[in-house]
Structure formats: structure tokens, C-alpha cells
Amino acid sequence: MFKNEEMEINLGPQHPSTHGVLRVKLRLDGETITHCKPVIGYLHRGVEKICENQSFFQGQVWTDRMDYCSAVANNLGWAEANEKLFGITVPRRAQYIRTLLNEFNRLASHLIWLATHALDIGAMTVFLYAFREREDILDMNEAFCGSRLTTTAFRIGGLREDLPPGFEKMARKFLAKFPTCLEEYENLLSENRIWKKRTVGVALLSADDAIALGVTGPVLRAAGVPYDIRKAFPYAAYSEMDFEVPTQTAADTYARYLVRMAEMRQSARIIQQCLDGLPEGPVMAKIPKILKAEVNEVYHATEAPKGEIGYYLVGEKGSANPYRFHVRAPGFINLQSLPKMAEGGLIADIVAAIGTLDIVLGEIDR
Amino acid sequence: MTDPIIPQAPEVPEAPAGPYVYDYAASPQRQVVMPKTVPLPSYRTYQAEVKAAAEADEAKWKKMQADYETAKAKAEAEGKDAPKPPVRPVPRKDDNDVKIPWPQEAKDADLLLLQAALGDKVEEIFEQAGELTCQVAKDAILEALHLCRDHADLKYEMLADQSATHYPAAAGFAFSVVYHLTSISRRKRLRLRILVPEGFVPESACAVYPSANWMEREIFDMLGIGFANHPDMTRILCPDDWEGHALRKDYPVVGWGQRDVAFREDRGGMIERIALQKAGQLGINLKQPKAE
């Protein structure tokens, strides 16, 4: 006998498509999702509390471990927030190198997204291709700071060291071959009939909903809103760079795929400009060994690969620790839109919705 | 033929009598240093501090001059050489690139518009480090948010971030709640701030900005500020039965020690006894510390 009741199932917390330990409570009517509630917190480590009990310099290693796919972008936001708190001006060469590394990091993060998103939906080959190019970027990370994932790339006031010899050659070699690699991915996916069936019209999120829910990054731009913090509130050396903000209007998973692929081309363009116009000079501002704050508060947001990453810092007079250290994680806010995307759709499509949000649970739970 | 090997049931030795080796209550990480100051950025406080510092400086200089006069008169009376006249001390300048951004008077049109529209409900407006801050009365936050979103000259469409800070040393309030608004069309940012005392339940921003939902749940989880008319006021990062709020200043970094083990299925108490014994051998205090 058939039953007409709704069925409740749990997706995760240990599910390969949830990119970490995310649990989604689903209520199903047949194969249609009627109710969806994400449950988070399995990776909560208390990063904010720990950073409040360490000095201003020590917080950086914790930002690496939030979104471990884009550690450099987290480091950049952290460094700039601290520099805003203390009013430090960073030398121009350091700004260029920061921009350069940040864009390489965006490529690495988008490649991870492409690889895992395609794997979730069932396209295995792209995974291997994307990881091949990501490996080169991680090698460059290693050449610059000795670490591949948890980079701790910057210092408050600039960089610890200049670019190593041979870095420029590595970067130029990568840039020469990267457009062909992008074409390879697009040949595999863009006109692929199965890929389009799984992505076109799936997980819709209109521009109004996205803005109301605070969604930023490629998900917002795929809904037709050209909001990119690199353009809207320029930081590092982005005001001197010539690049475009790619947008789409379809607001579905396929549009987000197109936006991210176009963004990778723009990142390569920015890297090229950084390499060509790299100014000479020092890479570190003159700052004391111990930074003591005054009563002050800043909120500094930068454009991480996944969206707006913001740091809210409060300084206490004469204290070497931040009084309050708060991170506005892009994944945390973006994940709020999952019920909006998934409800009314098929259960098979929630995997596409999670993949297209490009979440990393390390930064959501902090 | 050999006899089959029958595994012996392991003997559980008796736990050593307490106190245990690692006592959470006495652990140095558990000790909390409460903040003594209230680092709440404010132009009014800054002005008062600058004025007080200038007055103290002037008083010190006057005292130095008076001391010099008395010393001079004394030296003349005793027929000795006159002492050196005092030199006014100049503040030491550090030779580095740190230039602290001090609070400044509000000149931005948005802040002035907010003050004109809300009147007495605006407690303070100022600018600092290029950021606009508007402190409003704690009951008027919903009105201010509505105004920021809907006013044709403000148009702050997005609530980018919401967070709170604990000020245990403050008088009259215990927390500040900040709302970071972003105007995508006008490329501007604004910070709204309210000061709330312990136990006060501010209005939830969800009615104006749905993105506040999880951020307010996080504030509730981490600092224990509840929000009225919130659709789902539950913990988000910690488990539902967690005790305490981790981002309060009186919460130690290592937490309140290991949580008590609840063996619901352990009717006879055997598993609990073994666990406590094992933990005792390892020097871990599984029992919750007693309240002092």
C-alpha cells in the first residue's frame, strides 16, 4: 500500500557532496523537497574567541584555517583590517604582490569549486583536469611562503619577504598555458547535454532574494547584480587594474558556472597586469614590534572567491590583543539561501545547489 | 588438540582517590582576566579624553614652573647658583608608519540625514577611519533600519554583517550590537549601533533584512542576547544544550572544563563507573567542577 505522508531524511553530516560536515534536514513529498533546514556547527572551533586572546599578529594563522581553499584571500582581509585599525599605509610593491597572490588564490579556489561541483553532478573528468592546474598554483604558494594550503602569506604592514627568484617565470609559464586549460574545461562542460540538464534552471535565486539574504560573490553576480568589492570599494592594488565584472541574468546554477569561468579569465588578466607593472621598492612598512591599539573599531570587507569576507575588529587602549574579533564569513551568509534554492526542487538537485554555493564548512562554523 | 582460547574479561582497577591530577578549576587557562576599560569608540568620549589630557598637561607644566620659582627663591636665599629653568616636555614621536585614525566629527550627508530624520533617537554620530557610525536608541533600531533601507537618499539594500561585543566594565549597558549596512547602488557603507543592558531583548532585524536570521542566532549563541520576533531563536554553532555563551568576557578560553557525561542508556551505571575510572587514571576530571 502506498502512503501519502511526507518523508524526513537527513543529508549528511557525513555525506561526500556536503563539502565538509554539513547536515541538511529535508522533508520530501515523493522526490520534491518541501522543507529544507541546514544544521551547522560541527566544525566550530571558537576562532573568534581564540583570536581575542592572542595578539594582533597571531590571528592570521586562524584565518588560514577558516576557508582552507582560499587562505590567501582570508589573510588579505585580515591584514587590511588590521592596517585600517592602526592606520598603516602599505608600500606599493607589497600591494601589487598581494593582489597577484590573491588572484592566484581565486583561481585555485574556483578550480576546486569546478572540480568538486562537476564531480557532485557526475562529471568525473573535470575533477582531474582542474586539480592538475591547481597543483601549479600550490607550487607557487610553496615557493613564496613555504606552505601550500595554510599560507599565512602576509604581515601587518606588508609582506615578510619579497617574491622569490624564479617566481615570475613560474607565473608567466602558468599564464601562458592557463587559457588553453580553461578551454579544455569548457569543451567538457559548456555544451555538454547532461551538464546543462543538471544545471540550467536549477537552484534559482533572484536578485531581490539574494540581496535580502545578504548573498554576495558569484552567486549574486549570476543574478545580474554587478557588485564586486574589488570595483565597488577598491583595496590592495585593484584600483590600478583593468578588469571587468562578469555578470549573468539567468540566476541558475549554469549562470553561476559561466560567471565563475569568466572570472577566472579576468583573474588571469589581473595577474598579467601585476607581473607587467610590478613596481620596485620596499615590501614592508615601518611598524613597531608590538602593536598597541587605541579605542577604535573597523569593519573591512574584501572580495574572497566565495563572496564578501569581512573582519570586524575592536581595539582596546594599550592592549596588544583585539578586544573583539569577528569574521563575516561569506559561506555562512550564503548558506542561508539554501532553503530558498532547494525548496520546491527535486532531491537530486540539492547536491547541485550545495555545489553552486561553493561552501567550505571550516569558515561557516569557524 | 589445544584448548580454545577464551579471552579473559579485563579487570578494571580501582580509580585513585581524588583530587585528580588535572584540575580544571585550578588550571591557569581557566582563569579569566576581566577587562577594566570600556573600549567603545565614540567621538564624545574621545573629545573629553583629549580635553582632560590637555588640562593635565597644562597643570603639570604649571607645577613645574611653580617648583622652579620656589627652587630659585630658595637658591637665592641660600646664595647658591640658580637652578636651570624648566623646559616644557614635548610628546615623543614614534618613527614609524602607524597613524591611528581618531574619531572625527560627522560631516557625511547620510549621517546628518539620519540625525535630522530620527531626531532624539540618534544618540551619537561620528566618523572614524573612513567609516560612518550612527548610534541610535535601543528601542528605535527597527525604525532606523527601515529608514536606511527605504529612504530614497540612503538606499542601504543589504545587511552585510551583524555582530555584538560584551562590555562587562560598562555602566548602564552590557553589550553593543552593530549592524553593518551596504548600499550596492551608492557604494557606501554605514554602521548602526545600539547599546543594550543585560537581559534586554532588542527587536529582530529579520523583518527588514532577512539575512539577519542566522547572524542574530549566532549573537544569541555566542553572547546570549535574545531578539524579539525572530523566526527561530535557537543556538546555531553550539549544541542546543550548551551551557554559557562563549564570547562573553567571563567565559574562559578553554571553556568550563569537560562536560558531564550523560549515559542515558546506562541504567546500572556500569559504563559511567568504568569511564570515570579510566579518566581518573588518565588524570582527566570528567565531573563538572563544582560552583564556588
Side-chain angles (χ1 to χ4, degrees):
Chain A
M1 280 282 114
F2 291 113
K3 283 184 182 173
N4 290 334
E5 296 167 1
E6 291 188 334
M7 184 169 70
E8 262 195 30
I9 66 163
N10 273 311
L11 181 76
Q14 297 286 352
H15 190 272
S17 79
T18 54
H19 299 216
V21 273
L22 166 70
R23 176 172 160 225
V24 188
K25 279 200 233 169
L26 297 172
R27 207 178 299 145
L28 301 177
D29 176 15
E31 278 199 43
T32 312
I33 298 168
T34 56
H35 183 82
C36 159
K37 189 184 182 195
V39 181
I40 59 171
Y42 294 92
L43 265 179
H44 180 58
R45 291 153 292 174
V47 167
E48 293 178 6
K49 182 81 179 172
I50 295 169
C51 288
E52 280 168 22
N53 287 277
Q54 291 183 334
S55 77
F56 283 103
F57 297 101
Q58 286 171 312
Q60 191 182 13
V61 290
W62 284 99
T63 64
D64 288 337
R65 284 150 181 81
M66 291 188 316
D67 177 1
Y68 34 80
C69 295
S70 53
V72 179
N74 297 350
N75 295 161
L76 182 62
W78 166 85
E80 295 214 328
N82 280 295
E83 282 149 13
K84 204 172 178 185
L85 190 76
F86 290 102
I88 299 166
T89 316
V90 178
R92 198 151 162 269
R93 184 177 172 85
Q95 299 277 34
Y96 265 69
I97 296 173
R98 282 178 171 191
T99 312
L100 176 81
L101 291 169
N102 192 27
E103 288 310 311
F104 266 127
N105 185 243
R106 192 179 309 277
L107 289 180
S109 175
H110 278 5
L111 286 172
I112 279 252
W113 157 80
L114 180 67
T116 52
H117 184 38
L119 187 68
D120 288 345
I121 295 184
M124 175 83 194
T125 324
V126 192
F127 180 83
L128 302 170
Y129 280 39
F131 264 66
R132 184 187 61 192
E133 270 71 63
R134 180 174 172 266
E135 201 62 21
D136 293 342
I137 298 173
L138 296 193
D139 282 345
M140 275 182 265
N141 274 354
E142 195 176 0
F144 177 69
C145 56
S147 176
R148 293 162 71 81
L149 267 180
T150 50
T151 48
T152 318
F154 309 130
R155 295 291 178 273
I156 298 173
L159 310 169
R160 184 165 166 266
E161 277 174 52
D162 209 331
L163 288 179
F167 186 93
E168 199 183 327
K169 203 178 155 197
M170 279 168 99
R172 284 195 192 277
K173 198 175 153 198
F174 177 84
L175 281 187
K177 73 163 187 185
F178 189 63
T180 9
C181 302
L182 271 177
E183 274 169 29
E184 264 179 16
Y185 314 142
E186 285 177 342
N187 283 343
L188 283 168
L189 293 176
S190 287
E191 295 305 320
N192 184 330
R193 229 185 297 162
I194 305 171
W195 176 258
K196 282 187 112 170
K197 280 228 162 187
R198 291 299 312 273
T199 54
V200 174
V202 168
L204 289 163
L205 187 72
S206 69
D208 289 344
D209 285 343
I211 290 174
L213 287 167
V215 174
T216 45
V219 184
L220 180 62
R221 289 194 283 276
V225 183
Y227 176 58
D228 188 322
I229 302 170
R230 291 176 293 173
K231 281 268 190 220
F233 306 97
Y235 56 97
Y238 284 110
S239 53
E240 298 171 31
M241 299 293 152
D242 176 28
F243 66 101
E244 284 154 24
V245 179
T247 51
Q248 291 283 329
T249 47
D252 60 358
T253 308
Y254 190 70
R256 285 167 212 139
Y257 158 76
L258 293 177
V259 163
R260 286 193 177 104
M261 293 310 265
E263 259 182 45
M264 285 205 251
R265 292 216 155 76
Q266 297 300 326
S267 289
R269 239 177 103 189
I270 297 172
I271 295 169
Q272 189 74 50
Q273 290 170 45
C274 284
L275 286 172
D276 292 342
L278 196 62
E280 291 298 320
V283 293
M284 188 72 188
K286 216 171 167 188
I287 62 162
K289 285 251 162 33
I290 298 170
L291 281 174
K292 296 237 167 131
E294 295 288 340
V295 178
N296 194 350
E297 65 183 335
V298 293
Y299 174 77
H300 188 71
T302 53
E303 183 78 22
K306 292 167 177 71
E308 169 176 339
I309 184 159
Y311 289 86
Y312 172 63
L313 300 176
V314 178
E316 185 182 9
K317 189 177 167 65
S319 169
N321 301 358
Y323 187 81
R324 179 83 171 94
F325 184 102
H326 171 74
V327 187
R328 183 249 196 240
F332 180 77
I333 312 288
N334 287 3
L335 188 61
Q336 272 195 86
S337 65
L338 184 65
K340 200 103 198 166
M341 286 183 176
E343 279 170 12
L346 297 177
I347 182 163
D349 289 339
I350 194 167
V351 174
I354 294 172
T356 194
L357 279 174
D358 191 14
I359 50 168
V360 164
L361 270 295
E363 72 168 358
I364 291 172
D365 297 340
R366 280 157 289 155
Chain B
M1 277 203 54
T2 51
D3 294 334
I5 301 160
I6 301 161
Q8 292 281 315
E11 273 186 32
V12 182
E14 284 296 310
Y20 293 121
V21 183
Y22 191 79
D23 189 1
Y24 270 97
S27 131
Q29 283 92 358
R30 196 78 195 264
Q31 308 309 314
V32 182
V33 184
M34 291 297 275
K36 296 195 174 53
T37 60
V38 185
L40 183 79
S42 149
Y43 182 53
R44 217 177 289 143
T45 326
Y46 171 67
Q47 271 182 317
E49 274 174 13
V50 167
K51 205 178 157 199
E55 276 169 7
D57 193 51
E58 193 61 37
K60 199 177 167 191
W61 172 236
K62 285 221 172 103
K63 189 170 179 294
M64 278 168 84
Q65 279 179 323
D67 286 352
Y68 168 69
E69 292 300 333
T70 46
K72 198 174 150 193
K74 200 178 165 194
E76 271 176 13
E78 291 173 7
K80 286 181 189 166
D81 291 344
K84 276 186 191 167
V87 185
R88 185 158 189 166
V90 280
R92 193 164 58 91
K93 262 193 186 169
D94 290 332
D95 179 26
N96 56 36
D97 291 342
V98 177
K99 287 187 186 67
I100 300 282
W102 299 108
Q104 286 167 351
E105 200 188 333
K107 292 196 180 105
D108 192 88
D110 288 12
L111 290 177
L112 299 175
L113 197 157
L114 273 172
Q115 196 175 36
L118 291 171
D120 288 349
K121 289 165 190 162
V122 172
E123 291 174 353
E124 188 173 11
I125 49 171
F126 66 97
E127 297 176 24
Q128 189 169 21
E131 295 183 0
L132 318 176
T133 307
C134 174
Q135 183 180 314
V136 297
K138 56 185 184 291
D139 304 311
I141 184 62
L142 215 52
E143 193 184 334
L145 287 171
H146 263 297
L147 187 74
C148 288
R149 191 190 63 177
D150 299 334
H151 197 285
D153 292 341
L154 295 172
K155 280 200 278 186
Y156 287 93
E157 298 106 347
M158 189 188 271
L159 175 66
D161 184 37
Q162 189 182 351
S163 108
T165 312
H166 188 202
Y167 292 104
F173 67 97
F175 302 99
S176 78
V177 183
V178 288
Y179 302 74
H180 292 108
L181 308 178
T182 307
S183 172
I184 293 173
S185 50
R186 294 174 58 232
R187 298 188 173 188
K188 267 201 136 165
R189 288 188 189 280
L190 171 74
R191 177 188 298 122
L192 287 185
R193 184 168 79 187
I194 53 171
L195 304 180
V196 296
E198 186 79 66
F200 183 81
V201 181
E203 267 311 298
S204 163
C206 289
V208 194
Y209 297 104
S211 61
N213 189 333
W214 281 21
M215 296 187 256
E216 285 179 352
R217 280 178 70 190
E218 191 191 339
I219 293 172
F220 171 67
D221 190 356
M222 291 291 137
L223 289 132
I225 307 171
F227 288 89
N229 302 327
H230 188 280
D232 180 22
M233 197 77 261
T234 50
R235 284 182 182 265
I236 186 164
L237 295 175
C238 294
D240 285 341
D241 56 346
W242 192 262
E243 282 166 24
H245 301 281
L247 280 178
R248 287 188 179 216
K249 295 289 173 193
D250 52 4
Y251 194 95
V253 193
V254 293
W256 288 115
Q258 212 131 8
R259 305 174 70 207
D260 207 355
V261 195
F263 297 98
R264 283 181 202 146
E265 303 303 315
D266 186 22
R267 298 242 172 96
M270 194 183 73
I271 303 174
E272 187 178 357
R273 205 181 68 239
I274 294 173
L276 285 174
Q277 282 174 346
K278 289 270 177 204
Q281 289 158 14
L282 292 170
I284 301 165
N285 186 3
L286 268 184
K287 292 202 165 162
Q288 274 206 328
K290 283 185 191 109
E292 279 87 25

